[in-house]
Amino acid sequence: MSAHDGLDNDCIFCKIIRCEIPSFKIFEDDSVFSFMDINPVAPGHSLVIPKFHTPNIFEAPDIWAAATVNGIQRLARAVKETLNPDGINILQANGPGAAQSVFHLHMHVVPRWADDDVKMNWGISPGDMDAIGKLAKQISKNVN
Ligand code: 5GP
Ligand code: ZN
């Protein structure tokens, strides 16, 4: 079995894993590949991807999570050590409606600074507790 089994021929991130197109690699291990985002929302914006092709969290096999989250932790610690940001957001998009643009599952590490004006904060505003409780019941019925 080759290290590149499970990759897609046309996927841009699979091509990065295979080094068919260049990237600013940060690290890789048997399971994940980490590299800089070339359209950074902030300095240090970087990505971790599993080393097999899967488009999103709905279709990913169970094994993606432990390795990828471990990779994210390693990356976030290194970014913190390097840039000393005020904070770091970890993000992962599923589907065009969530602004996913590359359909190989990936997690973003986004360093944040107090005055960075990056728009991803939605503030704190109390919700409708009845509606929240109803949705909790409905969603929990769909947990498998
Ligand atoms: P999404 O919008 O799918 O959550 O994030 C995809 C990310 O991949 C974007 O932030 C985008 O800048 C980044 N990206 C797209 N193409 C490339 C590429 O060829 N190389 C690198 N390093 N990042 C890319
Ligand atoms: Zn891929």
mmCIF file of all heavy atoms in Angstrom, residues 12-13 16 21 35-39 45 47 93 99-102 106 108, ligand 1:
data_model
loop_
_atom_site.group_PDB
_atom_site.id
_atom_site.type_symbol
_atom_site.label_atom_id
_atom_site.label_comp_id
_atom_site.label_asym_id
_atom_site.label_seq_id
_atom_site.Cartn_x
_atom_site.Cartn_y
_atom_site.Cartn_z
ATOM 1 N N ILE A 12 -7.095 19.629 -5.445
ATOM 2 C CA ILE A 12 -5.918 20.492 -5.287
ATOM 3 C C ILE A 12 -5.140 20.145 -4.007
ATOM 4 O O ILE A 12 -3.900 20.188 -3.999
ATOM 5 C CB ILE A 12 -6.341 21.980 -5.333
ATOM 6 C CG1 ILE A 12 -5.141 22.871 -5.499
ATOM 7 C CG2 ILE A 12 -7.133 22.391 -4.131
ATOM 8 C CD1 ILE A 12 -5.450 24.182 -6.125
ATOM 9 N N PHE A 13 -5.835 19.773 -2.945
ATOM 10 C CA PHE A 13 -5.120 19.434 -1.702
ATOM 11 C C PHE A 13 -4.455 18.058 -1.816
ATOM 12 O O PHE A 13 -3.371 17.853 -1.259
ATOM 13 C CB PHE A 13 -6.060 19.510 -0.501
ATOM 14 C CG PHE A 13 -6.347 20.931 -0.036
ATOM 15 C CD1 PHE A 13 -5.791 22.037 -0.667
ATOM 16 C CD2 PHE A 13 -7.190 21.161 1.051
ATOM 17 C CE1 PHE A 13 -6.063 23.340 -0.240
ATOM 18 C CE2 PHE A 13 -7.466 22.457 1.494
ATOM 19 C CZ PHE A 13 -6.902 23.543 0.843
ATOM 20 N N ILE A 16 -1.309 18.749 -3.427
ATOM 21 C CA ILE A 16 -0.341 19.310 -2.469
ATOM 22 C C ILE A 16 0.296 18.183 -1.656
ATOM 23 O O ILE A 16 1.515 18.141 -1.467
ATOM 24 C CB ILE A 16 -1.030 20.373 -1.579
ATOM 25 C CG1 ILE A 16 -1.233 21.655 -2.401
ATOM 26 C CG2 ILE A 16 -0.221 20.640 -0.314
ATOM 27 C CD1 ILE A 16 -1.978 22.766 -1.679
ATOM 28 N N ILE A 21 1.879 20.047 -6.683
ATOM 29 C CA ILE A 21 1.921 21.508 -6.723
ATOM 30 C C ILE A 21 2.564 21.969 -5.413
ATOM 31 O O ILE A 21 2.481 21.277 -4.393
ATOM 32 C CB ILE A 21 0.528 22.153 -6.936
ATOM 33 C CG1 ILE A 21 -0.431 21.803 -5.813
ATOM 34 C CG2 ILE A 21 -0.069 21.754 -8.260
ATOM 35 C CD1 ILE A 21 -1.709 22.620 -5.916
ATOM 36 N N PHE A 35 0.046 22.947 6.153
ATOM 37 C CA PHE A 35 0.688 23.926 5.273
ATOM 38 C C PHE A 35 0.010 25.277 5.428
ATOM 39 O O PHE A 35 -1.094 25.378 5.982
ATOM 40 C CB PHE A 35 0.638 23.451 3.810
ATOM 41 C CG PHE A 35 -0.748 23.148 3.287
ATOM 42 C CD1 PHE A 35 -1.349 23.981 2.342
ATOM 43 C CD2 PHE A 35 -1.460 22.051 3.731
ATOM 44 C CE1 PHE A 35 -2.619 23.709 1.847
ATOM 45 C CE2 PHE A 35 -2.740 21.764 3.251
ATOM 46 C CZ PHE A 35 -3.314 22.597 2.310
ATOM 47 N N MET A 36 0.687 26.312 4.910
ATOM 48 C CA MET A 36 0.158 27.667 5.019
ATOM 49 C C MET A 36 -0.980 27.878 4.028
ATOM 50 O O MET A 36 -0.929 27.385 2.890
ATOM 51 C CB MET A 36 1.257 28.702 4.720
ATOM 52 C CG MET A 36 2.454 28.655 5.635
ATOM 53 S SD MET A 36 2.044 28.949 7.358
ATOM 54 C CE MET A 36 1.721 30.718 7.332
ATOM 55 N N ASP A 37 -1.992 28.628 4.452
ATOM 56 C CA ASP A 37 -3.048 29.074 3.531
ATOM 57 C C ASP A 37 -2.485 30.221 2.695
ATOM 58 O O ASP A 37 -1.891 31.159 3.244
ATOM 59 C CB ASP A 37 -4.273 29.523 4.339
ATOM 60 C CG ASP A 37 -5.524 29.629 3.472
ATOM 61 O OD1 ASP A 37 -5.480 30.354 2.454
ATOM 62 O OD2 ASP A 37 -6.532 29.005 3.807
ATOM 63 N N ILE A 38 -2.625 30.144 1.373
ATOM 64 C CA ILE A 38 -2.034 31.194 0.520
ATOM 65 C C ILE A 38 -2.949 32.410 0.347
ATOM 66 O O ILE A 38 -2.589 33.362 -0.334
ATOM 67 C CB ILE A 38 -1.603 30.667 -0.871
ATOM 68 C CG1 ILE A 38 -2.736 29.925 -1.561
ATOM 69 C CG2 ILE A 38 -0.344 29.826 -0.764
ATOM 70 C CD1 ILE A 38 -2.486 29.706 -3.044
ATOM 71 N N ASN A 39 -4.130 32.376 0.963
ATOM 72 C CA ASN A 39 -4.988 33.571 1.010
ATOM 73 C C ASN A 39 -5.280 33.860 2.484
ATOM 74 O O ASN A 39 -6.434 33.742 2.920
ATOM 75 C CB ASN A 39 -6.301 33.336 0.257
ATOM 76 C CG ASN A 39 -6.069 32.844 -1.162
ATOM 77 O OD1 ASN A 39 -5.563 33.576 -1.992
ATOM 78 N ND2 ASN A 39 -6.418 31.601 -1.429
ATOM 79 N N HIS A 45 -2.125 32.100 9.257
ATOM 80 C CA HIS A 45 -3.287 31.280 8.871
ATOM 81 C C HIS A 45 -2.779 30.024 8.168
ATOM 82 O O HIS A 45 -2.085 30.108 7.160
ATOM 83 C CB HIS A 45 -4.186 32.110 7.950
ATOM 84 C CG HIS A 45 -5.432 31.414 7.488
ATOM 85 N ND1 HIS A 45 -6.363 32.036 6.703
ATOM 86 C CD2 HIS A 45 -5.916 30.163 7.697
ATOM 87 C CE1 HIS A 45 -7.365 31.207 6.440
ATOM 88 N NE2 HIS A 45 -7.106 30.049 7.034
ATOM 89 N N LEU A 47 -3.320 25.393 7.657
ATOM 90 C CA LEU A 47 -4.310 24.334 7.462
ATOM 91 C C LEU A 47 -3.738 22.981 7.876
ATOM 92 O O LEU A 47 -2.520 22.766 7.777
ATOM 93 C CB LEU A 47 -4.728 24.264 5.992
ATOM 94 C CG LEU A 47 -5.292 25.546 5.358
ATOM 95 C CD1 LEU A 47 -5.337 25.401 3.835
ATOM 96 C CD2 LEU A 47 -6.679 25.865 5.898
ATOM 97 N N ALA A 93 -15.102 24.110 7.531
ATOM 98 C CA ALA A 93 -16.331 24.395 6.790
ATOM 99 C C ALA A 93 -16.821 23.158 6.052
ATOM 100 O O ALA A 93 -16.019 22.382 5.520
ATOM 101 C CB ALA A 93 -16.068 25.524 5.782
ATOM 102 N N ALA A 99 -19.372 28.325 3.219
ATOM 103 C CA ALA A 99 -18.203 28.938 2.573
ATOM 104 C C ALA A 99 -17.054 27.952 2.369
ATOM 105 O O ALA A 99 -15.903 28.364 2.277
ATOM 106 C CB ALA A 99 -17.733 30.181 3.326
ATOM 107 N N GLN A 100 -17.365 26.647 2.290
ATOM 108 C CA GLN A 100 -16.304 25.697 1.910
ATOM 109 C C GLN A 100 -15.992 25.881 0.435
ATOM 110 O O GLN A 100 -16.902 25.902 -0.404
ATOM 111 C CB GLN A 100 -16.732 24.240 2.171
ATOM 112 C CG GLN A 100 -15.607 23.243 1.889
ATOM 113 C CD GLN A 100 -15.979 21.789 2.166
ATOM 114 O OE1 GLN A 100 -17.147 21.477 2.379
ATOM 115 N NE2 GLN A 100 -14.996 20.913 2.158
ATOM 116 N N SER A 101 -14.724 26.050 0.104
ATOM 117 C CA SER A 101 -14.342 26.269 -1.293
ATOM 118 C C SER A 101 -13.423 25.179 -1.830
ATOM 119 O O SER A 101 -13.303 25.026 -3.038
ATOM 120 C CB SER A 101 -13.675 27.642 -1.456
ATOM 121 O OG SER A 101 -12.542 27.739 -0.635
ATOM 122 N N VAL A 102 -12.762 24.436 -0.947
ATOM 123 C CA VAL A 102 -11.938 23.297 -1.374
ATOM 124 C C VAL A 102 -12.548 22.052 -0.750
ATOM 125 O O VAL A 102 -12.690 21.971 0.486
ATOM 126 C CB VAL A 102 -10.471 23.459 -0.944
ATOM 127 C CG1 VAL A 102 -9.671 22.209 -1.289
ATOM 128 C CG2 VAL A 102 -9.846 24.692 -1.610
ATOM 129 N N HIS A 106 -10.639 19.936 5.600
ATOM 130 C CA HIS A 106 -9.483 20.652 6.152
ATOM 131 C C HIS A 106 -9.908 21.487 7.338
ATOM 132 O O HIS A 106 -11.065 21.908 7.440
ATOM 133 C CB HIS A 106 -8.831 21.544 5.092
ATOM 134 C CG HIS A 106 -9.788 22.500 4.437
ATOM 135 N ND1 HIS A 106 -10.602 22.128 3.385
ATOM 136 C CD2 HIS A 106 -10.085 23.795 4.706
ATOM 137 C CE1 HIS A 106 -11.342 23.168 3.018
ATOM 138 N NE2 HIS A 106 -11.062 24.187 3.822
ATOM 139 N N HIS A 108 -8.811 24.934 9.631
ATOM 140 C CA HIS A 108 -8.039 26.177 9.609
ATOM 141 C C HIS A 108 -7.547 26.507 11.013
ATOM 142 O O HIS A 108 -8.307 26.386 11.981
ATOM 143 C CB HIS A 108 -8.923 27.360 9.197
ATOM 144 C CG HIS A 108 -9.507 27.290 7.827
ATOM 145 N ND1 HIS A 108 -9.020 28.021 6.769
ATOM 146 C CD2 HIS A 108 -10.568 26.608 7.325
ATOM 147 C CE1 HIS A 108 -9.759 27.800 5.681
ATOM 148 N NE2 HIS A 108 -10.705 26.938 6.001
HETATM 149 P P1 5GP B 1 -12.494 26.743 2.752
HETATM 150 O O1 5GP B 1 -13.040 28.021 2.192
HETATM 151 O O2 5GP B 1 -12.823 25.577 1.849
HETATM 152 O O3 5GP B 1 -12.835 26.487 4.189
HETATM 153 O O4 5GP B 1 -10.920 26.919 2.757
HETATM 154 C C1 5GP B 1 -10.100 26.615 1.685
HETATM 155 C C2 5GP B 1 -8.816 27.361 1.909
HETATM 156 O O5 5GP B 1 -7.848 26.831 1.029
HETATM 157 C C3 5GP B 1 -8.943 28.851 1.614
HETATM 158 O O6 5GP B 1 -8.649 29.588 2.784
HETATM 159 C C4 5GP B 1 -7.940 29.077 0.508
HETATM 160 O O7 5GP B 1 -7.226 30.262 0.667
HETATM 161 C C5 5GP B 1 -7.028 27.880 0.599
HETATM 162 N N1 5GP B 1 -6.482 27.471 -0.669
HETATM 163 C C6 5GP B 1 -7.144 27.311 -1.850
HETATM 164 N N2 5GP B 1 -6.292 26.891 -2.803
HETATM 165 C C7 5GP B 1 -5.077 26.768 -2.202
HETATM 166 C C8 5GP B 1 -3.789 26.372 -2.685
HETATM 167 O O8 5GP B 1 -3.580 26.037 -3.840
HETATM 168 N N3 5GP B 1 -2.779 26.369 -1.776
HETATM 169 C C9 5GP B 1 -2.948 26.720 -0.467
HETATM 170 N N4 5GP B 1 -1.900 26.673 0.339
HETATM 171 N N5 5GP B 1 -4.153 27.101 0.013
HETATM 172 C C10 5GP B 1 -5.204 27.132 -0.855
#
